[in-house]
Amino acid sequence: MDENQLSQLNRSQSLARSDAQLVREPVVVDVSPEEVPHLLDYWDVIRKRRWVVLACLVIVFTTVCIGTLKERPIYEGKVRLEIDPETPSVVNFKEVVTVAPRDVETYQETQFEILESRTLAEKVINDLQLYRNPEFNRKLYLFGLIDGGPAPIPSSPDPPDTSSDSYRAAVAIFKDDVDVTPVRRSNLVDLAFDSHDPNLAARIANDLADKYIDNNFQIKYDETMKAREWLETQLGGEKIKLEKSEDALQEYARENSIVFINDKQTLVTQRLADLQTNYTKAQIDRLQWESLYNLVKEGKTDELPGVIDNRVIQDLSEKKDDLERQYEDMLVTVKPEFPRAVHLKTQIDTIDKEIKIQKTAVAKNYVDQYNNAVKREKSLEAAMNEAKDAVNKMGEKGIAYGILKREVDSNQQIYDGLLDRMKEAGVTAGLRASNIHVIDGAIVPKVPSKPRVLLNLAAGLILGLGLGVGLAFFQEYLDKTLKTADDVEQLLRLSSLGVLPKFLSNGAHGAAEEETLLALAPTNGGNGHHPLAPAIQTVPEVVEAFRSLRTSVLLSASPVPKLLLVTSALPSEGKTTTAVNLGATLASLGNKVVVVDCDMRRPACHRATGVENQPGFVQCLTGHVELSGAVLPVPGVPNLSVIPCGPIPPNPAEVLSSALTGELLRLLRGQFEYVLVDSPPLLSVADGRILATLVDAVVLVTRAHSTPYDVVRRARALLYGSGARILGVALNAVDLAREGLGYQQYQYGYGYGHPPAAEDERGGQAPRD
């Protein structure tokens, strides 16, 4: 392409942009933030994938049902035991060793493991000769995972070699059939054994319980006898050590004149203790008298207890108070020199002197008591100091004595403990007391415990349903395609212009549009015209969907775009059929509409509308045909015309890039109310992006459950990169019944009057580009 053509193309593109400047700005839909999935959303996924859920449910349930019904009945013999935790009574003497308290849970777990041990299994097998029973005498392969069937029964009644494969197989089978189940919040445990023979199941369970109790007895007896032997060995040595330590203690006490009043005190320590007690009492007595002595020194004799409590002083004080009251009454009428008044005053002074004499005597008594208490305290202190010196001297000798005494006590303790435990061991060895008891013995079961038919069937039903639901959601997670209008707005951030249902081109059942439209080529009477264009839909639901698309386009921008590009991201998404039917709905409003086929690589508009592919748009661009001569009316649709592609050029991109393309589209825009341009897929070739620069707006068609949304995002980015305005997305080939969006739900009682066989229920799909 030379520079002149490029300049013409740029001028044409500039004119097109100036004519539609009001609708050229790309807008991304501002959708609300993503909402938390509703419970109905999960139900919609399950309903949409219901066949996957049903298939998993049927397969799993059938498998479980067949396996359950074919399983051989198994009977359970059950014994209930009581296992009380116990502490050792033979070697648990505190003087020698300290044993940690027994953990009840650990003890019980240990007993459960013993019940399932190989030793008990071999005892029961040998006792009941189970190695001769076909149920246990079997060949096992691959670590016991494969059952090879019954093995030859030994002819000898003697037990086989415990290292032989058959015997090991019998032990393994036996251990697998043993089940130990503790009863919660108790010391009870259920010991069960499974077998195909109900009598054998009960017999083995009882015998296993007996062997377990006998084994517990045997373990205790062996421990007791071992402890007794050890105690006898230790007792002789401890007796000699005790005698030697006692002799050494007595000899030391005799040499140092150490005499004990009791086990802890000597005469010296006893005297010191008594002196300390008396000295403490003397100190307390002295402190008591000292407090009274201080009151005397301070002249507060009236506060002394002896004064307050003295009856003589109290009587004198009362008599004094009475005389003073008489004296004061008399002075009211006479003078102090009056003889009677003088006599009363003399009596008052005499009584006052007597009170002072009594108080002085009491105070002197307290002083004497205090002085005596001080003397007694000092004398006791001196005696106590002498006793302390004696005790200190005795303490030096008592250190060695204490060492010898502790050694004697220790040896005596050990000897006594060993002697007591040896006696207990002798008694215990002859007892058969046990902490394990049989509460309920096993009885012969009447009904099998396995298989649990109802439980297995319920588990199979739940497992199948859960697996199916999980697989359905996994498929939904892997499905990256657009399915609903909400997906368009949330994943693409574009407006959803409409949802187009699955439909057939007027009765055709093919999937590819090229084959479909070829099959529907004009064949009526040889006149070259079909009564109605093959792609034009007459089914009410489909027509209503295209009307909804038309309304969305008309309301998507202001002013309404007149020149529209209908394109898609990938081939076979239904853009040609969408363009033709959108044009038909626009024409039904009385508007003159033309559909221009610019898909110069795989043109299909002529087949969709039932016209010849010539003259076409390519011939107009090359100057061989006038534009008006290429406009052909669509059969059966008034006001709708089509410009077919014409012969396919060798260089479609260069042809569309010419300035004449923009001029012709602008010319059509002036002659028709609406011009719809059909273009090749955006991601396949560059033709669509070239045409996007020449139109007012773009309608992006995508196929539901077919086109991944990341592919549509790429197409959206290419359009925005070309400066195109995207009106929105038309979601094509939506299964309305599958998505729960059938138009029957929105008829509001008017009805459509569906024509017979308007929609074939054999699963046809919408025509593809």
Side-chain angles (χ1 to χ4, degrees):
M1 184 182 300
D2 55 17
E3 296 181 357
N4 187 23
Q5 291 177 333
L6 287 174
S7 62
Q8 292 178 355
L9 175 61
N10 292 333
R11 286 197 303 273
S12 176
Q13 293 174 349
S14 299
L15 291 173
R17 290 192 181 96
S18 63
D19 291 341
Q21 59 182 353
L22 296 177
V23 293
R24 300 295 291 167
E25 294 299 328
V27 176
V28 178
V29 176
D30 183 16
V31 298
S32 59
E34 184 176 358
E35 298 180 354
V36 177
H38 195 271
L39 185 61
L40 291 178
D41 297 333
Y42 297 115
W43 170 249
D44 290 339
V45 174
I46 296 174
R47 185 175 53 83
K48 184 169 59 177
R49 307 279 182 180
R50 58 186 177 275
W51 296 115
V52 175
V53 177
L54 290 176
C56 291
L57 177 60
V58 170
I59 292 174
V60 173
F61 183 77
T62 303
T63 303
V64 172
C65 183
I66 294 175
T68 300
L69 296 178
K70 291 184 64 178
E71 187 176 352
R72 186 179 175 186
I74 296 177
Y75 296 87
E76 181 183 69
K78 182 184 293 185
V79 177
R80 173 158 292 188
L81 300 174
E82 180 185 7
I83 303 178
D84 288 330
E86 62 175 3
T87 55
S89 59
V90 176
V91 295
N92 189 25
F93 46 94
K94 299 178 182 179
E95 296 85 354
V96 178
V97 62
T98 301
V99 180
R102 182 174 295 245
D103 186 353
V104 175
E105 185 176 355
T106 302
Y107 173 76
Q108 290 180 343
E109 290 292 337
T110 303
Q111 298 305 310
F112 300 159
E113 293 297 327
I114 293 175
L115 283 169
E116 298 177 341
S117 64
R118 179 181 56 83
T119 302
L120 282 181
E122 290 180 352
K123 290 180 178 180
V124 177
I125 290 173
N126 295 335
D127 184 38
L128 301 180
Q129 296 185 356
L130 297 180
Y131 51 82
R132 305 179 61 86
N133 191 311
E135 185 175 341
F136 298 91
N137 188 25
R138 308 184 69 82
K139 299 178 181 179
L140 300 179
Y141 303 102
L142 194 61
F143 306 103
L145 299 177
I146 300 177
D147 188 355
I153 298 177
S155 57
S156 175
D158 298 332
D161 185 8
T162 56
S163 61
S164 63
D165 294 338
S166 60
Y167 192 82
R168 290 184 176 181
V171 173
I173 295 173
F174 184 93
K175 292 179 64 178
D176 289 340
D177 292 335
V178 175
D179 182 37
V180 178
T181 305
V183 180
R184 294 186 60 185
R185 298 180 178 275
S186 69
N187 293 325
L188 302 178
V189 58
D190 290 332
L191 175 62
F193 189 85
D194 295 335
S195 175
H196 297 298
D197 184 354
N199 295 311
L200 185 61
R203 184 181 177 189
I204 291 177
N206 288 323
D207 193 68
L208 181 60
D210 294 340
K211 292 294 186 293
Y212 169 63
I213 296 175
D214 292 342
N215 183 72
N216 186 59
F217 285 144
Q218 187 64 40
I219 291 174
K220 291 181 179 180
Y221 179 80
D222 294 341
E223 290 179 351
T224 302
M225 295 309 296
K226 290 180 181 179
R228 180 181 175 83
E229 293 175 359
W230 180 84
L231 290 171
E232 289 177 348
T233 303
Q234 296 295 322
L235 193 60
E238 292 299 328
K239 183 177 180 181
I240 295 174
K241 289 172 60 177
L242 176 61
E243 291 174 352
K244 290 182 178 180
S245 61
E246 287 178 343
D247 293 341
L249 179 65
Q250 294 296 330
E251 181 65 23
Y252 184 82
R254 186 167 48 253
E255 291 176 355
N256 292 276
S257 301
I258 299 176
V259 179
F260 279 88
I261 298 175
N262 51 42
D263 293 340
K264 295 182 179 180
Q265 287 186 331
T266 62
L267 290 175
V268 177
T269 56
Q270 178 63 34
R271 181 172 179 273
L272 176 61
D274 294 342
L275 288 174
Q276 286 178 335
T277 302
N278 294 330
Y279 177 71
T280 301
K281 292 180 180 179
Q283 281 183 320
I284 296 172
D285 189 46
R286 190 261 305 168
L287 290 174
Q288 291 176 347
W289 290 112
E290 185 176 6
S291 62
L292 299 175
Y293 175 75
N294 291 332
L295 292 176
V296 174
K297 288 178 62 178
E298 294 174 0
K300 299 178 180 179
T301 56
D302 293 339
E303 298 179 6
L304 294 173
V307 174
I308 297 174
D309 299 334
N310 194 308
R311 186 62 184 173
V312 175
I313 296 176
Q314 290 178 357
D315 293 341
L316 292 174
S317 297
E318 291 177 358
K319 186 175 182 180
K320 176 185 175 183
D321 293 338
D322 184 53
L323 293 174
E324 286 179 345
R325 187 168 52 254
Q326 294 178 14
Y327 180 74
E328 290 176 356
D329 293 341
M330 187 176 291
L331 290 179
V332 175
T333 58
V334 298
K335 294 182 178 181
E337 294 80 8
F338 189 72
R340 180 63 177 167
V342 172
H343 179 71
L344 289 175
K345 180 63 176 175
T346 303
Q347 289 181 341
I348 292 172
D349 293 340
T350 303
I351 293 174
D352 190 38
K353 291 179 182 179
E354 185 66 24
I355 292 174
K356 289 181 179 179
I357 293 172
Q358 292 294 330
K359 289 183 178 180
T360 302
V362 172
K364 184 177 182 302
N365 180 54
Y366 283 128
V367 172
D368 294 340
Q369 292 291 343
Y370 170 72
N371 292 330
N372 294 333
V374 170
K375 292 179 181 179
R376 186 166 56 256
E377 179 184 1
K378 290 182 179 180
S379 62
L380 288 174
E381 183 179 6
M384 186 178 65
N385 291 332
E386 293 178 0
K388 285 182 179 179
D389 294 337
V391 169
N392 291 333
K393 293 178 181 179
M394 181 62 68
E396 296 175 357
K397 301 177 182 179
I399 293 175
Y401 182 88
I403 294 174
L404 295 175
K405 184 67 170 61
R406 285 192 295 273
E407 184 177 359
V408 171
D409 294 340
S410 176
N411 292 336
Q412 184 68 47
Q413 246 182 343
I414 294 175
Y415 179 79
D416 293 341
L418 289 174
L419 184 61
D420 292 340
R421 297 309 182 268
M422 189 181 68
K423 294 178 180 178
E424 292 176 4
V427 175
T428 304
L431 296 177
R432 286 185 58 86
S434 175
N435 63 317
I436 301 172
H437 311 283
V438 176
I439 303 301
D440 293 323
I443 59 176
V444 178
K446 300 299 181 181
V447 295
S449 61
K450 298 178 183 178
R452 300 178 181 177
V453 179
L454 294 179
L455 180 61
N456 290 354
L457 295 182
L461 185 65
I462 295 174
L463 179 62
L465 186 61
L467 181 62
V469 172
L471 185 58
F473 279 101
F474 183 68
Q475 286 182 332
E476 187 72 14
Y477 170 76
L478 296 179
D479 189 0
K480 300 297 183 180
T481 61
L482 298 171
K483 296 173 280 295
T484 63
D486 291 340
D487 292 343
V488 172
E489 295 184 353
Q490 293 178 4
L491 300 177
L492 300 181
R493 316 292 289 185
L494 292 173
S495 297
S496 175
L497 297 177
V499 174
L500 305 178
K502 280 187 177 182
F503 59 86
L504 300 173
S505 294
N506 293 334
H509 301 291
E513 182 193 25
E514 184 175 355
E515 298 177 0
T516 301
L517 298 179
L518 282 174
L520 296 173
T523 57
N524 189 13
N527 56 6
H529 296 284
H530 195 277
L532 185 64
I536 302 300
Q537 294 301 304
T538 59
V539 177
E541 289 87 344
V542 182
V543 173
E544 189 64 31
F546 280 106
R547 288 174 182 169
S548 176
L549 175 61
R550 175 193 65 189
T551 303
S552 298
V553 171
L554 295 179
L555 299 177
S556 60
S558 180
V560 178
K562 303 295 185 180
L563 183 55
L564 289 175
L565 175 67
V566 181
T567 186
S568 62
L570 299 176
S572 303
E573 295 200 60
K575 59 179 177 57
T576 299
T577 306
T578 302
V580 172
N581 282 274
L582 177 59
T585 57
L586 290 171
S588 66
L589 298 177
N591 302 311
K592 293 179 61 178
V593 183
V594 63
V595 179
V596 183
D597 192 353
C598 290
D599 188 350
M600 298 181 182
R601 301 174 187 271
R602 192 181 177 188
C605 283
H606 63 287
R607 291 192 295 272
T609 55
V611 300
E612 298 293 337
N613 194 23
Q614 58 180 352
F617 193 64
V618 175
Q619 294 164 321
C620 296
L621 292 173
T622 58
H624 293 84
V625 177
E626 293 293 333
L627 182 61
S628 59
V631 178
L632 306 177
V634 176
V637 184
N639 299 323
L640 179 62
S641 302
V642 63
I643 300 179
C645 176
I648 298 176
N651 52 350
E654 286 76 4
V655 173
L656 292 175
S657 298
S658 65
L660 187 57
T661 303
E663 294 294 337
L664 292 178
L665 291 177
R666 290 179 63 245
L667 184 60
L668 290 172
R669 190 171 183 270
Q671 297 176 358
F672 294 87
E673 277 80 4
Y674 298 101
V675 179
L676 305 180
V677 180
D678 184 18
S679 74
L682 290 168
L683 300 184
S684 301
V685 292
D687 302 4
R689 283 178 285 168
I690 296 173
L691 292 171
T693 63
L694 306 176
V695 299
D696 297 342
V698 179
V699 174
L700 191 59
V701 180
T702 184
R703 192 176 188 85
H705 299 283
S706 176
T707 308
Y709 55 79
D710 54 349
V711 172
V712 186
R713 286 177 179 173
R714 176 60 181 162
R716 180 195 65 183
L718 293 177
L719 289 174
Y720 283 152
S722 302
R725 168 66 185 271
I726 305 176
L727 291 183
V729 176
L731 191 60
N732 189 27
V734 176
D735 189 347
L736 299 181
R738 175 183 180 184
E739 300 295 340
L741 301 173
Y743 280 92
Q744 293 84 349
Q745 300 178 12
Y746 306 100
Q747 293 180 11
Y748 301 103
Y750 291 98
Y752 283 106
H754 305 293
E759 286 184 296
D760 196 328
E761 297 182 356
R762 287 174 286 178
Q765 301 181 8
R768 304 182 181 181
D769 295 345

